[in-house]
Amino acid sequence: MNIATAVPQSIGPLLGALAVAATGSFTPVFLLCAAFTFAGALAVSRVRSVR
């Protein structure tokens, strides 16, 4: 479980920096974060219950 949280936290800043360097703006980073947040919310909404 530790790797499941540590790897995205390590890769996220790198991908964000690449997006800012490629576009010169933070707008794509915020849009990408919003898309991942929405996708995560949809994935969690499918969970009916926890055993």
Side-chain angles (χ1 to χ4, degrees):
M1 180 104 168
N2 191 19
I3 291 176
T5 58
V7 171
Q9 290 179 1
S10 300
I11 294 173
L14 176 64
L15 294 177
L18 290 173
V20 170
T23 62
S25 173
F26 280 95
T27 302
V29 176
F30 290 125
L31 293 175
L32 192 60
C33 288
F36 279 120
T37 301
F38 185 69
L42 286 177
V44 169
S45 70
R46 302 284 297 160
V47 176
R48 294 182 187 257
S49 68
V50 177
R51 293 182 196 188

